[in-house]
Amino acid sequence: PFVWHGSIRSPEIAEQAAYYGDGFFHNNIFWPTDHTRRMVQLYRRRYAYHGHGRPEQAIVGLGGQVFMRKNSQDAVREFRPYFDNAPVYGHGPSLEDFTEQTPLTVGSPQQVIERTLSFREIVGDYQRQLFLMDHAGLPLKTVLEQLDILGEEVVPVLRKEFAIGRPADVPDAPTHDSLRAAQEVSAA
């Protein structure tokens, strides 16, 4: 299986992933983008140093969290009470400050798409995007609505847009099928 090393703040995990030539998942959901940039750059540099390929060929995944409604005003209005009272978010920075400083995106599906695509400006091309959906005490019904919006309106556009402009030598993240196919080729 393909191995991902996940970290929020530990450069040692980025080094470990680079050493073994494994994927690095930076769960940047609570960190400023500058921290995310530094962690991914460290991993990419060390990946190349350890002889696994060029920095841009390293396999990177990012975390993020979203809350969506058809228009941004409804999304902010509905999510704010959850944000303000959540054990993780609440009683700290305002929703506006938190969304400015971290990947939390509260808005329309189009805003989520644009914001997620902008992460490439921070870390370069990357292969996996995970979204935290059931955060801040959201009711199950709301989480399921969020998953529907994500699957129907956001993910198809992200897949298409991330493929545009990706250099041919930047690999896709390994899947079970691609690893099996490579194993069969090497066995032949």
Side-chain angles (χ1 to χ4, degrees):
F2 186 75
V3 175
W4 288 93
H5 299 256
S7 177
I8 294 174
R9 63 176 180 238
S10 174
E12 290 83 6
I13 299 302
E15 173 62 30
Q16 184 181 49
Y19 179 82
Y20 289 108
D22 294 334
F24 178 61
F25 176 78
H26 189 266
N27 192 10
N28 60 323
I29 61 177
F30 298 119
W31 287 85
T33 55
D34 192 48
H35 174 77
T36 300
R37 178 183 293 113
R38 287 192 313 269
M39 290 288 285
V40 172
Q41 285 176 345
L42 169 65
Y43 162 67
R44 289 183 186 279
R45 278 193 316 272
R46 299 300 292 170
Y47 180 91
Y49 173 84
H50 290 295
H52 301 295
R54 293 188 330 280
E56 58 274 9
Q57 294 174 312
I59 306 294
V60 175
L62 295 180
Q65 68 269 49
V66 298
F67 186 86
M68 298 169 284
R69 288 297 182 219
K70 291 292 179 194
N71 67 63
S72 60
Q73 297 85 354
D74 289 343
V76 170
R77 182 185 41 73
E78 186 176 340
F79 186 67
R80 185 180 304 281
Y82 293 104
F83 178 88
D84 289 346
N85 294 299
V88 174
Y89 305 118
H91 314 294
S94 69
L95 175 59
E96 290 74 16
D97 288 343
F98 199 83
T99 56
E100 182 181 320
Q101 297 169 16
T102 73
L104 173 62
T105 307
V106 179
S108 69
Q110 186 59 41
Q111 286 172 305
V112 169
I113 291 165
E114 290 170 7
R115 180 89 186 274
T116 304
L117 291 172
S118 77
F119 297 161
R120 288 193 294 192
E121 298 166 13
I122 298 164
V123 301
D125 283 301
Y126 66 103
Q127 289 80 358
R128 286 286 187 267
Q129 175 68 53
L130 274 64
F131 291 104
L132 174 61
M133 302 301 292
D134 65 341
H135 50 111
L138 295 173
L140 177 60
K141 178 183 181 293
T142 303
V143 172
L144 295 175
E145 291 167 355
Q146 294 296 298
L147 289 171
D148 285 343
I149 296 168
L150 185 71
E152 294 168 4
E153 298 182 43
V154 175
V155 171
V157 175
L158 288 177
R159 284 186 175 146
K160 179 182 157 202
E161 292 297 322
F162 273 121
I164 294 171
R166 176 179 277 169
D169 61 342
V170 173
D172 290 330
T175 63
H176 178 72
D177 289 341
S178 70
L179 292 171
R180 288 199 56 176
Q183 187 179 34
E184 290 170 7
V185 168
S186 68

